[in-house]
């Protein structure tokens, strides 16, 4: 049932429309160096990182309500991470990218190791 609820919620917010189900506020995501867990990227705390199919290389298309639910993985300018680059978003946030694809955290993943955002609406994928 939880998986069904997560999928339904994801479909609801995947289009990044003005409606969203989370009472999320846009908060800065604390930087932690990414780690590879098996075949995907996570934060150091184990939270799964995602990419968005509507993004272009080095250009995010997830703003406003979308970015409240799919939080940009923000850069700490005191850190360098092998294999990642930095993109500047239109909202002034510096965001990590893997092979040019901006990286995000999903509000539906609440504990390390969850991957409930993978495949939502065919637009969100786990970052590899």
């Amino acid at each position: 049932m939880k998986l069904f609820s997560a999928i339904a919620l994801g479909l609801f917010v995947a289009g990044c429309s003005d409606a969203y189900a989370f009472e999320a506020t846009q908060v800065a995501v604390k930087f932690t160096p990414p780690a590879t867990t098996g075949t995907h990227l996570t934060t150091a705390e184990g939270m799964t990182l995602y990419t968005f199919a509507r993004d272009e290389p080095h250009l995010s298309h997830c703003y406003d309500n979308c970015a409240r639910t799919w939080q940009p993985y923000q850069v700490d300018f005191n850190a360098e991470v092998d294999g990642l680059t930095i993109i500047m978003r239109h909202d002034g946030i510096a965001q990590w990218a893997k092979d040019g694809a901006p990286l995000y955290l999903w509000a539906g993943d609440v504990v390390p190791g969850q991957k409930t955002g993978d495949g939502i609406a065919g637009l969100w994928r786990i970052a590899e």
Side-chain angles (χ1 to χ4, degrees):
M1 185 62 177
K2 285 183 181 180
L3 179 59
F4 176 76
S5 297
I7 291 170
L9 177 60
L11 290 172
F12 183 70
V13 299
C16 299
S17 66
D18 288 336
Y20 61 96
F22 291 106
E23 290 296 322
T25 57
Q26 189 156 2
V27 295
V29 176
K30 179 185 168 207
F31 171 80
T32 53
T36 300
T37 306
T39 60
H40 69 280
L41 287 178
T42 67
T43 66
E45 291 86 14
M47 299 305 290
T48 301
L49 293 167
Y50 296 89
T51 59
F52 183 39
R54 290 186 179 163
D55 285 345
E56 296 174 44
H58 311 285
L59 182 64
S60 173
H61 287 289
C62 181
Y63 288 91
D64 302 319
N65 292 331
C66 177
R68 288 183 190 95
T69 304
W70 296 91
Q71 294 180 331
Y73 188 43
Q74 294 186 24
V75 171
D76 174 349
F77 283 103
N78 295 320
E80 258 186 58
V81 180
D82 287 337
L84 296 187
T85 57
I86 298 171
I87 64 164
M88 290 304 297
R89 296 166 49 86
H90 297 299
D91 56 10
I93 294 172
Q95 182 176 6
W96 288 112
K98 172 72 172 161
D99 299 326
L103 298 173
Y104 303 88
L105 294 156
W106 186 48
D109 288 345
V110 294
V111 296
Q114 285 187 313
K115 303 176 215 168
T116 60
D118 189 37
I120 290 182
L123 298 173
W124 294 95
R125 296 280 180 239
I126 292 175
E128 298 179 346

